[in-house]
Amino acid sequence: LAAQFQAIFDQYNGDTQFDIIAHSLGNFAGLYAMMESSLSNHFVMYVGLAGGTHGQDPNPYKQLIIKGGMVEALVPYNNDFIRGFLGKHDSAIARLKKCALYSMADKVVDRPHDSGAFPDGVNIALERYSHLDFIHKRAIYRKMRSACRFDY
């Protein structure tokens, strides 16, 4: 992702600022790429849709975890890896305007549902949307546009 971010940044002048909107595992992957590549200064807002930024607790009744790689590193919720990453980049993350939308009906990100929320962000709990609704439903897009407005 860092190389893709850089390719986009190279098309604009150096003062151009960007927002990132991520869904699901992309919440953590996008934040990780921003921070570990030192590209966070190009971003103003971080919007997470149905994301597991702070990880997920395992669910013994369903196979949520794909073994290996980043997904495995995000289990359990708020584990040492996640806390270490967030702590390492706390000042850069604090600078970002953050907004998270999540649903209590999400059956994918559900342990906890608000894993993508930040205490210093705008956090919106929705009631009836499934995990994939966050990328398919216009109502979610409209909710995001109205809830995640920040004055620049």
Coordinates of all heavy atoms in Angstrom, one line a residue, residues 49-122:
L49 N -14.6 2.0 8.1 CA -15.9 1.4 7.9 C -15.9 -0.1 8.3 O -15.1 -0.9 7.7 CB -16.4 1.5 6.5 CG -16.4 2.9 5.9 CD1 -16.8 2.9 4.4 CD2 -17.4 3.8 6.7
A50 N -16.6 -0.5 9.3 CA -16.7 -1.9 9.8 C -15.3 -2.5 9.9 O -15.0 -3.5 9.4 CB -17.5 -2.7 8.8
G51 N -14.4 -1.8 10.6 CA -13.0 -2.2 10.7 C -12.6 -2.8 12.0 O -13.2 -2.5 13.1
G52 N -11.5 -3.6 11.9 CA -11.0 -4.2 13.1 C -9.6 -3.6 13.5 O -8.7 -4.4 13.7
T53 N -9.5 -2.3 13.5 CA -8.2 -1.7 13.7 C -7.6 -2.1 15.0 O -6.3 -2.2 15.1 CB -8.4 -0.1 13.8 OG1 -9.1 0.3 12.6 CG2 -7.1 0.6 13.9
H54 N -8.3 -2.3 16.0 CA -7.8 -2.8 17.3 C -7.8 -4.3 17.5 O -7.6 -4.8 18.6 CB -8.5 -2.0 18.5 CG -8.3 -0.6 18.5 ND1 -9.1 0.3 17.8 CD2 -7.3 0.2 19.0 CE1 -8.6 1.6 17.9 NE2 -7.5 1.5 18.7
G55 N -8.1 -5.0 16.5 CA -8.2 -6.5 16.5 C -9.5 -7.0 16.9 O -10.5 -6.3 17.0
Q56 N -9.5 -8.3 17.0 CA -10.8 -9.1 17.3 C -10.4 -10.2 18.2 O -9.4 -10.8 18.1 CB -11.4 -9.7 16.0 CG -12.0 -8.7 15.1 CD -13.3 -8.2 15.5 OE1 -14.3 -8.9 15.4 NE2 -13.4 -7.0 16.2
D57 N -11.3 -10.5 19.1 CA -11.2 -11.7 20.0 C -11.7 -12.9 19.1 O -12.6 -12.7 18.3 CB -12.1 -11.6 21.2 CG -11.4 -10.7 22.3 OD1 -10.1 -10.6 22.3 OD2 -12.1 -10.1 23.1
P58 N -11.1 -14.0 19.3 CA -11.5 -15.2 18.5 C -12.9 -15.6 18.9 O -13.3 -15.4 20.0 CB -10.5 -16.3 18.9 CG -9.8 -15.8 20.2 CD -10.0 -14.3 20.2
N59 N -13.6 -16.2 17.9 CA -15.0 -16.7 18.2 C -14.9 -18.2 18.0 O -14.7 -18.7 16.8 CB -15.9 -16.0 17.2 CG -17.4 -16.4 17.4 OD1 -17.6 -17.4 18.1 ND2 -18.3 -15.6 16.9
P60 N -15.1 -19.0 19.0 CA -15.0 -20.4 18.9 C -16.1 -21.0 18.0 O -16.0 -22.1 17.6 CB -15.2 -20.9 20.3 CG -15.9 -19.8 21.1 CD -15.5 -18.5 20.4
Y61 N -17.2 -20.2 17.7 CA -18.3 -20.8 17.0 C -18.2 -20.5 15.5 O -19.1 -21.0 14.7 CB -19.6 -20.2 17.5 CG -19.8 -20.5 19.0 CD1 -19.6 -19.5 19.9 CD2 -20.1 -21.8 19.4 CE1 -19.8 -19.8 21.3 CE2 -20.2 -22.1 20.7 CZ -20.1 -21.1 21.6 OH -20.2 -21.4 23.0
K62 N -17.2 -19.7 15.0 CA -17.1 -19.5 13.6 C -15.6 -19.4 13.3 O -14.8 -19.0 14.1 CB -17.9 -18.3 13.1 CG -17.3 -17.0 13.6 CD -18.2 -15.9 13.0 CE -17.6 -14.6 13.6 NZ -18.4 -13.4 13.2
Q63 N -15.3 -19.6 12.0 CA -13.9 -19.6 11.6 C -13.6 -18.2 11.0 O -13.8 -17.9 9.8 CB -13.6 -20.6 10.5 CG -12.2 -20.8 10.2 CD -11.4 -21.3 11.4 OE1 -11.9 -21.9 12.4 NE2 -10.1 -21.2 11.4
L64 N -13.3 -17.2 11.9 CA -13.0 -15.8 11.5 C -11.6 -15.7 11.1 O -11.3 -14.9 10.2 CB -13.4 -14.9 12.6 CG -13.0 -13.4 12.4 CD1 -13.9 -12.8 11.3 CD2 -13.2 -12.6 13.7
I65 N -10.7 -16.4 11.7 CA -9.3 -16.1 11.5 C -8.7 -17.0 10.4 O -8.8 -18.2 10.3 CB -8.6 -16.5 12.8 CG1 -9.2 -15.7 14.0 CG2 -7.1 -16.2 12.7 CD1 -9.3 -14.2 13.8
I66 N -8.0 -16.3 9.5 CA -7.3 -16.9 8.4 C -5.8 -17.0 8.9 O -5.3 -16.0 9.3 CB -7.3 -16.1 7.1 CG1 -8.8 -16.0 6.6 CG2 -6.4 -16.7 6.1 CD1 -9.0 -15.0 5.5
K67 N -5.3 -18.1 9.0 CA -4.0 -18.3 9.6 C -2.9 -17.6 8.8 O -2.9 -17.7 7.6 CB -3.6 -19.8 9.8 CG -4.5 -20.5 10.7 CD -4.2 -20.0 12.2 CE -5.1 -20.7 13.1 NZ -5.1 -20.1 14.4
G68 N -2.0 -16.9 9.5 CA -0.9 -16.3 8.8 C -1.1 -14.8 8.5 O -2.2 -14.4 8.4
G69 N 0.0 -14.1 8.5 CA 0.0 -12.7 8.1 C -0.7 -11.8 9.1 O -0.8 -12.0 10.2
M70 N -1.2 -10.7 8.5 CA -1.7 -9.6 9.3 C -3.0 -10.0 10.1 O -3.2 -9.6 11.2 CB -2.1 -8.4 8.4 CG -2.5 -7.2 9.2 SD -2.7 -5.8 8.2 CE -1.1 -5.4 7.6
V71 N -3.8 -10.8 9.5 CA -5.1 -11.2 10.2 C -4.7 -11.9 11.5 O -5.3 -11.6 12.5 CB -6.0 -12.1 9.3 CG1 -7.2 -12.6 10.1 CG2 -6.4 -11.3 8.1
E72 N -3.8 -12.8 11.5 CA -3.4 -13.5 12.7 C -2.8 -12.6 13.7 O -3.1 -12.7 14.9 CB -2.5 -14.6 12.4 CG -2.2 -15.6 13.5 CD -1.4 -16.8 13.1 OE1 -0.3 -16.6 12.7 OE2 -2.0 -17.9 13.1
A73 N -2.1 -11.5 13.3 CA -1.5 -10.5 14.2 C -2.6 -9.7 14.9 O -2.3 -9.1 15.9 CB -0.6 -9.6 13.4
L74 N -3.8 -9.7 14.4 CA -4.9 -8.8 15.0 C -5.7 -9.6 16.0 O -6.8 -9.1 16.3 CB -5.7 -8.2 13.9 CG -4.9 -7.3 12.9 CD1 -5.9 -6.7 11.9 CD2 -4.3 -6.2 13.7
V75 N -5.3 -10.8 16.4 CA -6.0 -11.6 17.4 C -5.1 -11.9 18.5 O -4.0 -12.3 18.3 CB -6.5 -12.9 16.7 CG1 -7.2 -13.8 17.7 CG2 -7.4 -12.6 15.5
P76 N -5.6 -11.6 19.7 CA -6.9 -11.2 20.2 C -6.9 -9.6 20.1 O -6.0 -9.0 19.9 CB -7.0 -11.7 21.6 CG -5.6 -11.7 22.1 CD -4.7 -12.0 20.9
Y77 N -8.1 -9.2 20.5 CA -8.4 -7.7 20.5 C -7.4 -7.0 21.4 O -7.0 -7.5 22.5 CB -9.8 -7.5 21.1 CG -10.2 -6.1 21.4 CD1 -10.5 -5.2 20.3 CD2 -10.2 -5.5 22.6 CE1 -10.8 -3.9 20.5 CE2 -10.5 -4.2 22.9 CZ -10.8 -3.4 21.8 OH -11.1 -2.1 22.0
N78 N -6.9 -5.9 20.9 CA -5.9 -5.0 21.6 C -4.7 -5.8 22.2 O -4.3 -5.5 23.3 CB -6.7 -4.3 22.7 CG -6.1 -3.0 23.1 OD1 -5.3 -2.4 22.3 ND2 -6.3 -2.5 24.3
N79 N -4.2 -6.7 21.4 CA -3.0 -7.5 21.9 C -1.7 -6.7 21.9 O -1.7 -5.5 21.6 CB -2.9 -8.7 21.0 CG -2.6 -8.4 19.5 OD1 -1.7 -7.6 19.3 ND2 -3.3 -9.0 18.6
D80 N -0.7 -7.3 22.3 CA 0.6 -6.6 22.5 C 1.1 -6.0 21.2 O 1.6 -4.9 21.2 CB 1.7 -7.6 23.0 CG 1.5 -8.0 24.4 OD1 0.7 -7.3 25.1 OD2 2.0 -9.0 24.8
F81 N 0.9 -6.7 20.0 CA 1.4 -6.2 18.7 C 0.6 -4.9 18.4 O 1.2 -3.9 18.0 CB 1.1 -7.2 17.6 CG 1.3 -6.7 16.3 CD1 2.5 -6.3 15.7 CD2 0.1 -6.5 15.5 CE1 2.6 -5.8 14.4 CE2 0.2 -5.9 14.2 CZ 1.5 -5.6 13.7
I82 N -0.7 -4.9 18.6 CA -1.5 -3.7 18.3 C -1.2 -2.6 19.2 O -1.0 -1.4 18.8 CB -3.0 -4.1 18.4 CG1 -3.4 -5.1 17.3 CG2 -3.9 -2.8 18.3 CD1 -4.8 -5.7 17.5
R83 N -1.1 -2.8 20.5 CA -0.8 -1.8 21.5 C 0.6 -1.2 21.2 O 0.8 0.0 21.3 CB -0.9 -2.3 22.9 CG -2.3 -2.4 23.4 CD -2.4 -2.7 24.9 NE -1.4 -3.6 25.5 CZ -1.6 -4.9 25.5 NH1 -2.7 -5.5 25.1 NH2 -0.6 -5.7 26.1
G84 N 1.6 -2.1 20.8 CA 2.9 -1.6 20.5 C 2.9 -0.7 19.2 O 3.5 0.3 19.2
F85 N 2.2 -1.1 18.2 CA 2.1 -0.4 17.0 C 1.4 1.0 17.3 O 2.0 2.0 16.9 CB 1.3 -1.1 15.9 CG 0.9 -0.3 14.8 CD1 1.8 0.2 13.8 CD2 -0.5 0.1 14.7 CE1 1.4 1.0 12.8 CE2 -0.9 0.9 13.6 CZ 0.0 1.4 12.7
L86 N 0.3 1.0 17.9 CA -0.4 2.2 18.2 C 0.4 3.1 19.1 O 0.5 4.4 18.9 CB -1.8 2.0 18.8 CG -2.8 1.2 18.0 CD1 -4.0 0.9 18.7 CD2 -3.1 2.1 16.7
G87 N 1.1 2.6 20.1 CA 2.0 3.4 21.0 C 3.2 4.0 20.2 O 3.5 5.1 20.5
K88 N 3.8 3.2 19.3 CA 4.9 3.7 18.5 C 4.5 4.9 17.7 O 5.3 5.8 17.5 CB 5.4 2.6 17.6 CG 6.5 2.9 16.7 CD 6.9 1.7 15.9 CE 7.9 2.1 14.8 NZ 8.2 0.9 13.9
H89 N 3.3 4.9 17.2 CA 2.8 6.0 16.3 C 1.8 6.9 17.0 O 1.0 7.6 16.2 CB 2.3 5.4 15.0 CG 3.3 4.6 14.3 ND1 4.4 5.1 13.6 CD2 3.4 3.2 14.2 CE1 5.1 4.2 13.1 NE2 4.6 3.0 13.4
D90 N 1.7 7.0 18.3 CA 0.6 7.7 18.9 C 0.5 9.1 18.6 O -0.6 9.6 18.3 CB 0.6 7.5 20.4 CG 1.8 8.0 21.1 OD1 2.8 8.3 20.5 OD2 1.8 8.2 22.4
S91 N 1.6 9.8 18.4 CA 1.5 11.3 18.1 C 1.0 11.5 16.6 O 0.2 12.4 16.4 CB 2.8 12.0 18.4 OG 3.8 11.5 17.6
A92 N 1.5 10.6 15.7 CA 1.0 10.8 14.3 C -0.4 10.4 14.2 O -1.2 11.0 13.4 CB 1.9 9.9 13.4
I93 N -0.9 9.3 14.9 CA -2.3 8.9 14.9 C -3.1 10.0 15.5 O -4.2 10.3 15.0 CB -2.4 7.5 15.5 CG1 -1.7 6.5 14.7 CG2 -3.9 7.2 15.7 CD1 -1.6 5.1 15.3
A94 N -2.7 10.6 16.6 CA -3.5 11.6 17.3 C -3.7 12.8 16.4 O -4.7 13.5 16.5 CB -2.7 12.0 18.6
R95 N -2.8 13.1 15.5 CA -2.9 14.2 14.6 C -4.0 14.0 13.6 O -4.6 15.0 13.1 CB -1.5 14.4 13.9 CG -1.5 15.6 13.0 CD -0.3 15.7 12.1 NE -0.1 14.5 11.2 CZ -0.8 14.2 10.1 NH1 -1.8 15.0 9.7 NH2 -0.6 13.1 9.4
L96 N -4.3 12.8 13.2 CA -5.3 12.5 12.2 C -6.7 12.8 12.8 O -7.0 12.5 14.0 CB -5.3 11.0 11.8 CG -4.1 10.5 11.0 CD1 -4.1 9.0 10.9 CD2 -4.0 11.2 9.7
K97 N -7.6 13.3 12.0 CA -9.0 13.3 12.3 C -9.5 11.9 12.0 O -9.3 11.4 10.9 CB -9.7 14.4 11.5 CG -9.1 15.8 11.8 CD -9.7 16.8 10.9 CE -9.1 18.1 11.2 NZ -9.4 19.2 10.3
K98 N -10.2 11.3 13.0 CA -10.6 10.0 12.9 C -12.2 9.8 13.0 O -12.8 10.5 13.8 CB -10.0 9.1 13.9 CG -8.5 9.0 13.8 CD -7.8 8.4 14.9 CE -7.6 9.2 16.1 NZ -6.8 10.4 16.0
C99 N -12.7 9.0 12.1 CA -14.1 8.7 12.2 C -14.3 7.2 11.9 O -13.7 6.7 11.0 CB -14.8 9.5 11.1 SG -16.6 9.4 11.1
A100 N -15.1 6.6 12.7 CA -15.4 5.1 12.5 C -16.9 4.9 12.5 O -17.6 5.4 13.3 CB -14.8 4.3 13.6
L101 N -17.3 4.1 11.5 CA -18.7 3.6 11.5 C -18.7 2.1 11.6 O -17.9 1.5 11.0 CB -19.4 4.0 10.2 CG -19.8 5.5 10.0 CD1 -18.6 6.4 9.7 CD2 -20.9 5.6 9.0
Y102 N -19.6 1.6 12.5 CA -19.6 0.2 12.7 C -21.1 -0.2 13.0 O -21.9 0.6 13.3 CB -18.7 -0.3 13.8 CG -18.9 0.4 15.1 CD1 -19.8 -0.1 16.0 CD2 -18.3 1.6 15.3 CE1 -20.0 0.6 17.2 CE2 -18.4 2.3 16.5 CZ -19.3 1.8 17.5 OH -19.5 2.5 18.6
S103 N -21.4 -1.5 12.8 CA -22.8 -1.9 13.0 C -22.8 -3.0 14.1 O -22.0 -4.0 14.1 CB -23.3 -2.5 11.7 OG -24.6 -3.0 11.9
M104 N -23.8 -2.9 14.9 CA -24.1 -4.0 15.9 C -24.6 -5.3 15.2 O -24.7 -6.3 15.9 CB -25.1 -3.5 16.9 CG -24.6 -2.2 17.6 SD -22.9 -2.2 18.2 CE -23.0 -3.2 19.6
A105 N -25.0 -5.2 14.0 CA -25.4 -6.4 13.2 C -24.3 -7.0 12.4 O -24.6 -8.0 11.7 CB -26.6 -6.0 12.3
D106 N -23.1 -6.5 12.4 CA -22.0 -7.0 11.7 C -21.6 -8.4 12.3 O -21.4 -8.5 13.4 CB -20.8 -6.0 11.8 CG -19.7 -6.3 10.8 OD1 -19.5 -7.5 10.4 OD2 -18.9 -5.4 10.6
K107 N -21.6 -9.4 11.4 CA -21.2 -10.7 11.9 C -19.8 -11.1 11.6 O -19.3 -12.2 11.9 CB -22.2 -11.8 11.2 CG -23.6 -11.6 11.5 CD -24.0 -11.8 12.9 CE -25.4 -11.8 13.1 NZ -25.9 -11.1 14.3
V108 N -19.0 -10.1 11.0 CA -17.6 -10.4 10.7 C -16.8 -9.7 11.7 O -15.9 -10.3 12.4 CB -17.3 -9.9 9.3 CG1 -15.8 -10.1 9.0 CG2 -18.1 -10.7 8.2
V109 N -16.9 -8.4 11.9 CA -16.3 -7.6 12.9 C -17.3 -7.5 14.1 O -18.1 -6.6 14.0 CB -15.8 -6.2 12.4 CG1 -15.2 -5.4 13.5 CG2 -14.8 -6.4 11.3
D110 N -17.1 -8.4 15.1 CA -18.1 -8.4 16.1 C -17.6 -8.7 17.5 O -18.4 -8.8 18.5 CB -19.2 -9.4 15.8 CG -18.7 -10.8 15.7 OD1 -17.5 -11.1 15.7 OD2 -19.6 -11.8 15.6
R111 N -16.3 -8.8 17.6 CA -15.7 -9.1 18.9 C -14.6 -8.2 19.3 O -13.4 -8.7 19.3 CB -15.3 -10.6 19.0 CG -16.5 -11.5 18.8 CD -16.1 -13.0 18.7 NE -15.7 -13.5 20.0 CZ -16.5 -14.1 20.9 NH1 -17.7 -14.2 20.6 NH2 -16.0 -14.6 22.0
P112 N -14.7 -6.9 19.5 CA -16.0 -6.2 19.5 C -16.3 -5.5 18.2 O -15.5 -5.4 17.3 CB -15.7 -5.1 20.6 CG -14.2 -4.8 20.4 CD -13.6 -6.1 20.0
H113 N -17.6 -5.1 18.1 CA -18.1 -4.4 16.9 C -17.3 -3.1 16.7 O -17.1 -2.7 15.6 CB -19.6 -4.1 17.0 CG -20.4 -5.3 16.9 ND1 -20.9 -5.9 18.1 CD2 -20.9 -6.0 15.9 CE1 -21.7 -6.9 17.7 NE2 -21.6 -7.0 16.4
D114 N -17.0 -2.4 17.8 CA -16.3 -1.0 17.6 C -14.8 -1.1 17.6 O -14.2 -0.1 18.0 CB -16.8 -0.1 18.8 CG -16.4 -0.6 20.1 OD1 -15.9 -1.7 20.3 OD2 -16.6 0.2 21.1
S115 N -14.2 -2.1 17.1 CA -12.8 -2.3 17.1 C -12.1 -1.2 16.3 O -10.9 -0.9 16.5 CB -12.4 -3.7 16.5 OG -11.0 -3.8 16.4
G116 N -12.8 -0.6 15.3 CA -12.2 0.5 14.5 C -12.3 1.9 15.1 O -11.8 2.8 14.6
A117 N -13.0 2.0 16.3 CA -13.2 3.3 16.9 C -12.0 3.8 17.7 O -11.2 2.9 18.2 CB -14.4 3.2 17.8
F118 N -11.8 5.1 17.7 CA -10.8 5.7 18.5 C -11.4 6.6 19.5 O -12.4 7.3 19.2 CB -9.8 6.5 17.6 CG -8.8 5.7 16.9 CD1 -9.1 5.2 15.6 CD2 -7.6 5.4 17.4 CE1 -8.2 4.4 14.9 CE2 -6.7 4.6 16.7 CZ -7.0 4.1 15.5
P119 N -10.9 6.7 20.8 CA -11.5 7.5 21.8 C -11.6 9.0 21.4 O -12.5 9.7 21.8 CB -10.6 7.4 23.0 CG -9.9 6.1 22.8 CD -9.8 5.9 21.3
D120 N -10.6 9.5 20.6 CA -10.6 10.9 20.2 C -11.2 11.1 18.8 O -10.9 12.1 18.2 CB -9.1 11.4 20.2 CG -8.2 10.7 19.2 OD1 -8.5 9.6 18.8 OD2 -7.2 11.3 18.9
G121 N -12.0 10.1 18.3 CA -12.6 10.3 17.0 C -14.1 10.4 17.1 O -14.7 10.3 18.2
V122 N -14.7 10.5 15.9 CA -16.1 10.5 15.8 C -16.5 9.0 15.6 O -16.0 8.4 14.6 CB -16.7 11.3 14.6 CG1 -18.1 11.1 14.4 CG2 -16.3 12.8 14.9

